[in-house]
Amino acid sequence: MSGIKILLVDDREDNLLSIETILASDGYEFIKANSGRQALKILLKDQNFNLVLMDVKMPGLSGFETASLIYERDKLKHIPIIFITAYSYSDDKVYEGYKTGAVDYIYKPINPQLLKAKVAVFIDLYKKTHQLMIQEQSLKSINKDLADEIRVRKFSENQVNQLNIQLIENIENLENANTELARFAYVASHDLQEPLRKIRTYGDLLKNKYTSVIDEEGQYYINRIQKGAERLQNLIKDILSYSRLTIDSASLVKSDLNIIIQEILVDLEMIIEETNAKINICELPDLYVNPGQIRQLFQNIIGNALKFLRPNTDPEINITYDISSKMVQTEDKANVVPQLYCNIYIKDNGIGFDDSYSEQIFTLFKRLNDSAVFEGTGIGLAICKKIVEQHKGFISAKGKLNEGSIFTISLPINQTPYEINAQKSNTENSYSRR
């Protein structure tokens, strides 16, 4: 039996030879010791024995004493010991052997079949015990890994909880800061209105009443003052518009987007004719929106498309839409549910922009072009973003220099996610991609 090592311990060589001969046919590997001390030396160097067959009566250390010393060492406790003796002991003496850790006795003269059977049984028990020990070690390792994982998860959960608490505090601070900023912008803008009106009024009087006495250079300076005052007034109007942007569910009404856009095109009729612009609009769906804010949203984006024109190219604007579903959090943030959105695409062939600015163009006062070439306050797209967010929607932009840009406005078809299932079937039947 390959790999099975048995330690034979007896002070008589003939006994060792006899045992080895009986068990030789079973293929065991034998290591022999002529005393208890020699057996201890061997086991201290090599603990990988499957069984010890040991004579009880030996000079120096007896078999019982040797077994007791062997089992004092933790690494040797798993090796079974069978005592071999020519004496018939009393029950107390036999019990003494078992107390040392021995598992059985074999009496001389040795019955070969009995020896082979007992060795086979204890070798088998040893192998099963050894397998159980390996499994126990494996389970201990798994349990340790699980304990470590649980510890790491608890640590991560604590980290996430702390981050969530910090996030909530940051959101509250941001909301407070935004409220204060809006209040400040509103008050400051109103305080600027009055002196600005005086500048423009007295500028107009100076220009109209004293034209004949002011030379050409003076006229130029007055025009610069009037132009600067006009830009400042536009800036104040935009800031006021931005700070006033609020929305509530009562202001959302079912609105025909086609009518809203047609009204915008009427307002832009002059510039459309001047630029020879071509505007293609598919039939858009009705949505529950704040009509005034949505009108401003489309006017800002279409107005930009008619302002940032590519030289020697007739402007062309295409407005299309489709319907898609996005996963959004419910109001209590406990669940994520699907929400249907109407995605409106406004594509132009103007000067475009570097796509790396696709996020920045929606921030306040961000300008990508020279103000001397393209007039503007840098607030228009920030207003667009705020309007869309007020409607619980999304807005994004993609651009390519000298090729054009495309703005995507995603507005929820249902204003609350809970209405989706009730209205989904009707909505899918009502809308189709153009």
Side-chain angles (χ1 to χ4, degrees):
M1 188 175 292
S2 177
I4 301 300
K5 288 171 64 176
I6 299 176
L7 178 61
L8 304 179
V9 187
D10 200 307
D11 59 316
R12 291 181 54 178
E13 284 290 343
D14 57 333
N15 286 338
L16 291 173
L17 180 61
S18 172
I19 295 171
E20 184 178 4
T21 302
I22 292 170
L23 299 174
S25 60
D26 293 327
Y28 302 128
E29 178 183 355
F30 299 103
I31 305 296
K32 291 179 280 188
N34 294 114
S35 67
R37 293 185 184 282
Q38 188 179 7
L40 287 172
K41 289 181 180 177
I42 292 171
L43 289 170
L44 287 175
K45 293 180 180 177
D46 183 1
Q47 291 87 36
N48 296 320
F49 283 90
N50 304 89
L51 181 66
V52 177
L53 295 175
M54 184 157 55
D55 188 19
V56 174
K57 191 173 180 61
M58 294 184 294
L61 291 175
S62 69
F64 293 158
E65 292 169 332
T66 304
S68 180
L69 292 172
I70 290 173
Y71 286 141
E72 285 182 358
R73 291 165 174 78
D74 290 338
K75 291 184 177 179
L76 302 176
K77 283 182 176 178
H78 63 284
I79 304 174
I81 298 176
I82 299 177
F83 286 128
I84 298 175
T85 180
Y87 301 96
S88 178
Y89 298 109
S90 64
D91 289 345
D92 290 343
K93 198 68 174 177
V94 171
Y95 179 66
E96 182 184 346
Y98 284 123
K99 281 203 307 181
T100 63
V103 294
D104 207 347
Y105 284 85
I106 292 178
Y107 293 96
K108 298 177 183 177
I110 295 173
N111 181 323
Q113 296 303 321
L114 182 62
L115 176 62
K116 289 168 69 73
K118 286 194 174 184
V119 167
V121 167
F122 284 107
I123 289 293
D124 185 56
L125 283 174
Y126 171 85
K127 290 167 66 176
K128 289 178 178 176
T129 302
H130 188 67
Q131 186 63 36
L132 287 174
M133 289 173 61
I134 293 174
Q135 291 176 352
E136 182 183 4
Q137 290 174 355
S138 176
L139 286 173
K140 284 181 178 177
S141 177
I142 292 172
N143 286 337
K144 182 178 180 303
D145 291 342
L146 285 174
D148 291 343
E149 186 176 342
I150 290 171
R151 196 159 43 246
V152 170
R153 284 190 178 185
K154 284 185 177 178
F155 178 78
S156 298
E157 286 176 2
N158 288 334
Q159 292 287 95
V160 170
N161 289 336
Q162 289 178 7
L163 288 173
N164 283 337
I165 292 172
Q166 186 64 48
L167 181 61
I168 291 171
E169 290 178 357
N170 290 341
I171 291 172
E172 290 176 351
N173 292 334
L174 185 61
E175 287 176 346
N176 291 335
N178 283 337
T179 302
E180 289 298 318
L181 181 63
R183 187 179 297 117
F184 172 79
Y186 184 79
V187 173
S189 298
H190 272 79
D191 289 345
L192 289 172
Q193 292 272 49
E194 183 55 28
L196 185 59
R197 271 196 294 271
K198 287 182 179 177
I199 292 173
R200 296 201 67 181
T201 300
Y202 286 110
D204 288 342
L205 287 173
L206 190 63
K207 183 178 179 181
N208 296 331
K209 197 170 180 180
Y210 298 95
T211 301
S212 59
V213 297
I214 298 175
D215 62 11
E216 189 174 341
E217 187 177 6
Q219 297 280 354
Y220 171 77
Y221 292 146
I222 291 174
N223 286 335
R224 293 294 300 268
I225 292 171
Q226 293 289 79
K227 199 70 179 176
E230 183 184 350
R231 284 202 300 272
L232 182 56
Q233 196 163 41
N234 289 335
L235 180 61
I236 291 171
K237 286 180 181 176
D238 285 347
I239 292 174
L240 280 173
S241 297
Y242 187 83
S243 64
R244 286 170 176 165
L245 278 177
T246 57
I247 196 171
D248 58 61
S249 57
S251 69
L252 301 178
V253 296
K254 190 174 183 179
S255 305
D256 187 338
L257 299 183
N258 302 289
I259 294 176
I260 292 175
I261 292 181
Q262 287 303 323
E263 289 174 351
I264 294 169
L265 296 183
V266 170
D267 291 344
L268 299 173
E269 187 176 14
M270 187 175 293
I271 188 172
I272 291 173
E273 289 181 2
E274 288 175 352
T275 58
N276 195 30
K278 182 180 180 183
I279 301 177
N280 306 306
I281 308 169
C282 75
E283 187 174 351
L284 298 172
D286 295 349
L287 291 178
Y288 281 89
V289 296
N290 180 306
Q293 291 190 6
I294 292 299
R295 190 178 191 284
Q296 186 174 7
L297 166 69
F298 283 114
Q299 182 150 3
N300 286 358
I301 296 178
I302 295 173
N304 277 351
L306 293 171
K307 182 168 69 174
F308 299 105
L309 302 178
R310 195 148 36 112
N312 304 317
T313 303
D314 288 342
E316 181 172 345
I317 301 171
N318 291 291
I319 302 177
T320 57
Y321 86 99
D322 64 17
I323 304 293
S324 68
S325 177
K326 302 178 190 294
M327 300 302 292
V328 297
Q329 285 186 325
T330 57
E331 291 184 354
D332 60 5
K333 300 183 179 179
N335 298 306
V336 177
V337 296
Q339 168 72 293
L340 283 177
Y341 284 83
C342 175
N343 307 303
I344 302 169
Y345 308 97
I346 303 176
K347 182 179 180 183
D348 65 64
N349 62 343
I351 60 173
F353 60 90
D354 188 330
D355 204 44
S356 61
Y357 294 106
S358 60
E359 295 288 338
Q360 299 179 38
I361 61 173
F362 293 106
T363 57
L364 272 172
F365 307 117
K366 182 64 180 178
R367 296 177 56 89
L368 302 182
N369 307 103
D370 187 352
S371 61
V373 180
F374 297 101
E375 291 186 356
T377 59
I379 301 177
L381 290 181
I383 290 175
C384 292
K385 186 171 190 288
K386 193 169 181 180
I387 290 172
V388 174
E389 289 178 346
Q390 297 270 22
H391 284 75
K392 299 180 182 177
F394 309 93
I395 185 170
S396 61
K398 290 185 176 179
K400 198 166 184 180
L401 281 174
N402 299 318
E403 291 192 15
S405 57
I406 179 168
F407 286 81
T408 303
I409 301 164
S410 300
L411 297 172
I413 291 177
N414 306 292
Q415 288 304 300
T416 63
Y418 305 104
E419 298 171 357
I420 292 174
N421 292 333
Q423 299 186 20
K424 184 176 180 181
S425 58
N426 292 333
T427 303
E428 288 177 340
N429 292 330
S430 299
Y431 301 118
S432 61
R433 182 169 183 167
R434 299 284 173 176

